[in-house]
Amino acid sequence: MARISIRDLFRFRNSRPFIHSYPLSSSVSPEVSVDAAKSSQRRNCFALLDASRSVIQVSKIHANLITLGRFDSFWARKILKLYWDFGHLDYTILIFKFIDFPGTFCINTVLKAYSLGLSPSQALIFYFEWLGEGFCPNGHTFVPLIGSCAKMGCIETGGKCHGQVVKNGVDTVLQVRNSLIHMYGCCERVELAYKVFDEMTTRDLVSWNSLVDGYARHGYMDVAHKLFDAMPERNVASWNVITSGYLKSGIPGCVLKLYRQLVKTGMRGNNTTMVNVLTACGRSARLKEGRSVHGFLIRTAFLKSSIFIDTALIDMYSKCQRVKVASRVFDSMPEKNLVCWNAMILGHCIQGNPEDGIKLYHRMVGKGRLQDREGNCIKSERIAKGRGNILPDAVTFIGVLCACARARLLEEGRGYFEEMTNFFRIRPNFAHYWCLANIFVGVGLVKPAEEIIRNIPHHIVDESQDSLIWANLLSSCRFERDFWFGEQIAKSGIDREPHNLSYYRLLLNVYATAGRWEEVARVKEMVKEKIVGSMPGCNLIDLKEIVHNPRGEELRPLNTRREQPFS
């Protein structure tokens, strides 16, 4: 394998395209010698770029071309492809601006970069801008473009792109049709996804997997499973799609059943497979099955140590009341990110010893508690900058505040809430206010707790985007006196203002936090009776993923197994 050496790089940099002196008797003209030198340099540069094995090597050659004044549109095309090949999306987009007359390949490459970036909408803007400049798209253009629409979840722009597909005559390209199936599935228009699928004369595994995923991701598990059974062949992605659907629908028992079928086929899963299985074991509190999966991973050396699998093991053992085992897994991890820190902190704070969870939080952020001579905590401060360089997020503080509620640490709990909002600038959500109120209830201060619940800002009560995250956590943490005071506050508000949706949302949040799904359904019916129409923006009703119960698959909320016609 060819590699770039420092000597080669300096040889390229120090070479000159001009010949300063020529023998008088030479039969070769100076112009020919100059052209030969330039051609030689171009070949050397091509060889160096082709031998590059990292984005750092490419950027060094790029820098040399700039400093020597030789970087132009020709080299921009070559370097743009290399930056894309090495996954450097920002540089791919930046280099494009130096190309004078970009062709279809260059434009398609930038579309791919935009579609994989943080702003997929820029792909659409970029496409229509160049369409106005006379750009002629091909089949490779629409795969990332439609993928951007899927990422945005925007059916309007997706429909426009579908129209562009038909207009440019690429609607029979297999990859384009697969992208359309995926896009319509992501936008919850599964009937359109099936229509595209049904009209295909040629299908592959991606076609089937995309359609199954479209139904599964929106809870149509009956149809998804029928399609899964009808597949002419399956790969690991097929099994992952259907198990992820059951997991999202709050039916972990089916995940374990499908995994047993997968093992019987002799097919080996991947990281996603094992994470799904371990998550299912945790959500259904099936310690025996979870241990069996863990043992299988160790015995067979199935996969190398993975941060995803280790985090799933921590979560599974914590939810199965084996926090010490989870802690051993955590301590053995060679590297840790915020997600695994949160999993272990929540394990201690909700399932184990709350004081251990608070200590682990201090360890994560690199913070020590200064104490006076009597051992009383007087303040916190940052220590040892090299330690604790991971910043907490909203989920971290849900665990810390839960720990304070369980341990009845009033002053500490108020301090952590203030630290979250003022020091880390994290905006509190309903879960944080709920935990703070339970801290007051735990020490007998019911009226201040009621005031906290009454004074939750309306925009926070109305938000439901992150409800699955915090409700999943709080539904497994039962505080003293549980939910009664929140229920009373919401009901009194409904009695005073029966048409105020905020009180109904508060009541839904309270019941969801306590895991009372029958009451959630009852409140939904109450809203239908008292207020015409459905409650806008309240996805909390659809809490399929939240059920944390030893027999969770039997306590499915409403609409988890919705029937959907094929066409």
Side-chain angles (χ1 to χ4, degrees), residues 4-6 9-10 12-13 45 48-49 52 54-68 79 83 91:
I4 295 177
S5 67
I6 298 298
L9 198 57
F10 274 104
F12 162 67
R13 183 170 184 175
C45 189
L48 290 171
L49 287 171
S52 300
S54 71
V55 72
I56 296 176
Q57 293 176 343
V58 176
S59 61
K60 286 180 179 179
I61 300 171
H62 183 195
N64 274 276
L65 286 168
I66 293 173
T67 55
L68 294 173
I79 292 178
Y83 278 133
Y91 269 28

Side-chain angles (χ1 to χ4, degrees), residues 1 25 28 87 156 233 246 259 283 303 359 383 507 537:
M1 182 182 293
S25 61
V28 180
E156 290 80 8
E233 58 177 329
Y246 276 116
Y259 176 67
R283 290 186 184 177
L303 294 168
K359 289 178 182 178
I383 60 172
L507 190 59

Side-chain angles (χ1 to χ4, degrees), residues 16-26 28-30 33-34:
R16 294 289 184 267
F18 302 106
I19 308 300
H20 295 286
S21 61
Y22 309 97
L24 293 176
S25 61
S26 175
V28 180
S29 66
S33 299
V34 170

Side-chain angles (χ1 to χ4, degrees), residues 19 108 156 344 404:
I19 308 300
N108 287 349
E156 290 80 8
M344 194 65 254
C404 293

